[in-house]
């Protein structure tokens, strides 16, 4: 049963060990790269601490007149080697960061994608597409980036602080204390600013996505806006959103602008104190000038990791929120699943055992079925219906009466809340979803085509079909002619979601797709509603041909498509109020009679009107 979707905001929670442990498990295959990165960072930290020390040595030792030129040469060679090796280590580090980021991100994307494919219809009823898109794109990238780059930056920052503290304390305790005293102040300050800044940026992103949405609606809804004269209203809303965007952006920038100078100011004070006190010591010969310089360099270098670690900690909060949302998605369970016994016998969707599939005859029975999408809102109640194999059943009734619900239940896109649905006398939950779906042809009102060629799109229903068989199927539904009229014929690219074709053309292609599969049960849910009357008449014959010998359900607005059905069911509020052949229902002078005569008159009017125009 679908629950109402609630956007969980994970961002304000404390450290969540459980989530990190789960993420660590997902990360495991990439941990070897991470270890290499950490090793490289530690080596680079040692070098970064070594360089000020070498500078000190250079000044304090080689400025003395009695030092030999030979040892200076050695020193210079050593120095150059160190600089060169830093470049090499950096290069390696970037290489492995990229490997970790792309590897882990790719793995998460794949896992989430698989999960999305396994989830049931009801999940997509209640989870906004935008939310899912944000998980698949933003959250995964952010998490992979933070783990690959920021986590390993810590492996540089912490050793740099420790090693330079050790060198400083062993050189001069008083001066070391001056450098260290400022560090906690900077740490607290940095952390505070980072958190505020991240929050501000989050607001900027929110405002930005609102504006994107405005643009989107402005473009996609342009026609509707014009016909409803909503331009002024929409523009006001847009203006409000841009103003908000400006406010939050200014706030974010202002935070950044205060923070940097403040940090510089505080670290300058520490450096000034060192020059002041250290200058005195150097003048009086207690320490060398090289040592003074080393301390100044350490002070400058010491605060960088402090600031960085504060930044990383706050980044980790955001990454944790991303991680929680990804885990939340990965842990969603499909509501419609096969039992272990069924899987044992028939396999899963991904690994089916078609050799165990029973052949479908096509008897279908609803046995005391009660169903609701949302708890408490019953759509079908104690619904009974028995259909003999091979019959063509037409469903008519007002919008919202429950026609699609009935066929969705047959397709097992949803399952009965109570009661059972029998196919060939067996509850369909005793056989696998794969078994049913491989015997089902389904054409929707808004058919979906995948990016790719027409040929590929038709062949999706039976991947081993030959080109000839695809042509056959297309000819049968009268799609062949319009396909051949394209320059590239069957190789024509349909565009994203089939955007380069008209809805009618998309429907014909999905008809061909269903025909090619040659299913035992055939379902057309308002499938002809976007095909013009002429084409409909032409494919009418084809549809009837296909449906012969198969159990078929036709939900149709236009009654001409259903007069030949074996049974017509009139549905109202989830109940069958009339049931019979066309001629029988007409005799009853009931709902169907009124529907038919009304539409008949409409058609007649349209015809007369057309003729007047042509004369
Ligand atoms: N995914 C859904 N979630 C919640 N309610 C739904 C959903 N689909 C349909 N309904 C509700 O179920 C009832 C029957 O809808 P439906 O079977 O789609 O009608 P029809 O196909 O006859 O137009 C309607 O009241 C509709 O609002
Ligand atoms: Mg419907």
């Amino acid at each position: 049963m679908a629950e109402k979707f609630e956007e969980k905001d994970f961002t304000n929670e404390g450290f969540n060990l459980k989530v990190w442990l789960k993420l660590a498990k997902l990360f495991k295959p990439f941990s070897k790269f991470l270890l290499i990165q950490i090793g490289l960072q530690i080596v680079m930290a040692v070098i970064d601490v070594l360089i000020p020390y070498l500078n000190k040595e250079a000044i304090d030792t080689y400025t003395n007149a009695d030092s030999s030129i030979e040892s200076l040469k050695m020193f210079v060679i050593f120095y150059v080697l160190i600089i060169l090796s830093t470049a090499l280590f950096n290069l390696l580090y970037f290489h492995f960061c990229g490997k970790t980021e792309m590897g882990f991100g790719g793995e998460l994307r794949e896992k989430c994608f698989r999960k999305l494919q396994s989830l049931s219809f009801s999940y997509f009823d209640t989870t906004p597409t935008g939310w899912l898109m944000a998980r698949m794109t933003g959250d995964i990238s952010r998490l992979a980036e933070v783990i690959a780059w920021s986590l390993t930056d810590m492996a540089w920052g912490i050793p740099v602080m420790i090693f330079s503290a050790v060198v400083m304390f062993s050189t001069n305790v008083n001066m070391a204390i001056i450098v260290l005293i400022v560090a906690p102040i900077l740490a607290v300050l940095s952390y505070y600013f980072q958190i505020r800044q991240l929050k501000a940026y989050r607001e900027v992103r929110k405002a930005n996505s609102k504006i994107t949405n405005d643009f989107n609606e402005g473009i996609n809804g342009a026609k509707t806006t014009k016909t409803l004269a909503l331009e002024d209203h929409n523009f006001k809303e847009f203006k409000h959103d841009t103003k908000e965007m400006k406010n939050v952006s200014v706030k974010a920038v202002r935070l950044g602008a205060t923070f940097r100078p403040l940090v510089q100011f505080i670290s300058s004070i520490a450096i000034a104190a060192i020059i002041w006190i250290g200058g005195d010591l150097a003048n009086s010969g207690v320490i060398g000038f090289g040592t003074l310089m080393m301390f100044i360099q350490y002070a400058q270098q010491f605060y960088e990791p402090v600031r960085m670690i504060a930044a990383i900690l706050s980044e980790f909060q955001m990454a944790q929120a991303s991680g929680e949302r990804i885990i939340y998605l990965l842990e969603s369970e499909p509501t419609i699943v096969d039992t272990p016994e069924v899987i044992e016998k028939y396999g899963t969707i991904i690994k089916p055992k078609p050799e165990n599939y029973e052949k479908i005859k096509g008897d279908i029975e609803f046995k005391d079925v009660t169903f609701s999408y949302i708890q408490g809102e019953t759509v079908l109640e104690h619904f009974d219906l028995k259909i003999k194999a091979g019959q063509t059943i037409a469903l008519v009734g007002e919008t919202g009466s429950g026609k699609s619900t009935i066929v969705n239940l047959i397709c097992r896109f949803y399952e009965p809340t109570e009661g059972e649905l029998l196919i060939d006398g067996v509850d369909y939950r005793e056989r696998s979803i794969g078994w049913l779906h491989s015997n089902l042809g389904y054409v929707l009102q808004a058919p979906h085509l995948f990016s790719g060629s027409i040929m590929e799109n038709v062949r999706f229903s039976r991947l081993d079909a030959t080109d000839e068989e695809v042509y056959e199927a297309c000819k049968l539904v009268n799609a062949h002619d319009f396909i051949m009229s394209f320059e590239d014929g069957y190789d024509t690219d349909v565009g994203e979601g089939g955007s380069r074709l008209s809805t009618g053309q998309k429907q014909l292609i999905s008809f061909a797709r269903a025909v090619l599969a040659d299913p035992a049960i055939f379902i057309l849910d308002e499938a002809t509603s976007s095909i013009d009357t002429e084409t409909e008449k032409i494919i009418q014959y084809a549809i009837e041909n296909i449906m012969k010998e198969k159990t078929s359900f036709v939900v149709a607005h236009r009654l001409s498509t259903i007069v030949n059905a074996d049974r017509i069911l009139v549905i109202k509020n989830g109940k069958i109020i009339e049931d019979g052949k066309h001629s029988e229902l007409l005799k009853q002078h009931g709902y169907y009679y009124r529907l038919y005569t009304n539409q008949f008159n409409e058609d007649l009017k349209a015809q007369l009107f057309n003729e007047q125009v042509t004369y």
Side-chain angles (χ1 to χ4, degrees), residues 4-47:
K4 268 248 169 307
F5 181 80
E6 274 171 38
E7 162 76 286
K8 287 198 173 50
D9 188 12
F10 292 103
T11 38
N12 293 324
E13 290 168 19
F15 183 71
N16 189 336
L17 182 66
K18 248 203 216 143
V19 163
W20 287 109
L21 285 178
K22 282 175 187 165
L23 288 173
K25 220 162 135 194
L26 290 169
F27 185 76
K28 216 166 160 205
F30 308 97
S31 46
K32 54 180 181 299
F33 299 142
L34 198 72
L35 283 178
I36 296 174
Q37 282 174 260
I38 291 173
L40 286 168
Q41 287 283 45
I42 293 175
V43 175
M44 287 195 282
V46 172
I47 293 176

Side-chain angles (χ1 to χ4, degrees), residues 398-471:
E398 291 156 9
T399 305
S401 57
K403 306 177 297 289
S404 295
T405 306
I406 293 169
V407 294
N408 282 343
L409 282 167
I410 296 171
C411 296
R412 208 176 158 190
F413 294 151
Y414 299 86
E415 286 176 350
T417 316
E418 278 169 47
E420 53 187 5
L421 210 151
L422 311 179
I423 294 182
D424 296 343
V426 182
D427 187 334
Y428 66 3
R429 282 170 287 202
E430 285 173 26
R431 291 183 181 160
S432 74
I433 299 168
W435 166 79
L436 180 62
H437 287 180
S438 63
N439 281 299
L440 206 66
Y442 189 84
V443 184
L444 291 154
Q445 180 173 12
H448 183 82
L449 298 189
F450 297 95
S451 317
S453 70
I454 292 178
M455 178 63 90
E456 285 168 332
N457 264 288
V458 177
R459 198 180 270 147
F460 268 126
S461 64
R462 219 181 81 218
L463 296 173
D464 60 353
T466 63
D467 286 2
E468 295 307 318
E469 287 172 310
V470 172
Y471 300 147

Side-chain angles (χ1 to χ4, degrees), residues 310-325:
I312 292 169
L313 284 180
S314 60
E315 264 177 45
F316 259 83
Q317 279 203 349
M318 301 302 282
Q320 176 173 298
S322 290
E324 285 179 57
R325 284 189 292 248

Side-chain angles (χ1 to χ4, degrees), residues 1-139:
M1 183 137 331
E3 278 166 32
K4 268 248 169 307
F5 181 80
E6 274 171 38
E7 162 76 286
K8 287 198 173 50
D9 188 12
F10 292 103
T11 38
N12 293 324
E13 290 168 19
F15 183 71
N16 189 336
L17 182 66
K18 248 203 216 143
V19 163
W20 287 109
L21 285 178
K22 282 175 187 165
L23 288 173
K25 220 162 135 194
L26 290 169
F27 185 76
K28 216 166 160 205
F30 308 97
S31 46
K32 54 180 181 299
F33 299 142
L34 198 72
L35 283 178
I36 296 174
Q37 282 174 260
I38 291 173
L40 286 168
Q41 287 283 45
I42 293 175
V43 175
M44 287 195 282
V46 172
I47 293 176
D48 283 336
V49 176
L50 199 61
I51 286 175
Y53 183 78
L54 288 179
N55 290 343
K56 171 200 150 230
E57 283 296 295
I59 294 169
D60 284 355
T61 314
Y62 296 106
T63 48
N64 282 343
D66 52 342
S67 69
S68 77
I69 205 79
E70 260 320 293
S71 57
L72 180 63
K73 252 189 208 155
M74 293 301 292
F75 180 84
V76 169
I77 291 169
F78 184 62
Y79 204 101
V80 169
L81 277 180
I82 286 218
I83 301 290
L84 284 180
S85 60
T86 319
L88 179 70
F89 289 141
N90 251 315
L91 202 70
L92 278 173
Y93 173 69
F94 283 131
H95 172 76
F96 281 104
C97 276
K99 256 182 131 75
T100 312
E101 184 183 2
M102 291 306 141
F104 184 47
E107 168 103 355
L108 284 181
R109 276 184 202 104
E110 201 181 306
K111 281 220 155 71
C112 287
F113 190 77
R114 259 178 195 272
K115 178 52 87 175
L116 283 179
Q117 294 211 304
S118 77
L119 290 167
S120 314
F121 258 57
S122 57
Y123 187 82
F124 298 97
D125 283 348
T126 48
T127 315
T129 317
W131 190 88
L132 289 169
M133 291 295 278
R135 301 300 70 79
M136 297 294 287
T137 54
D139 277 328

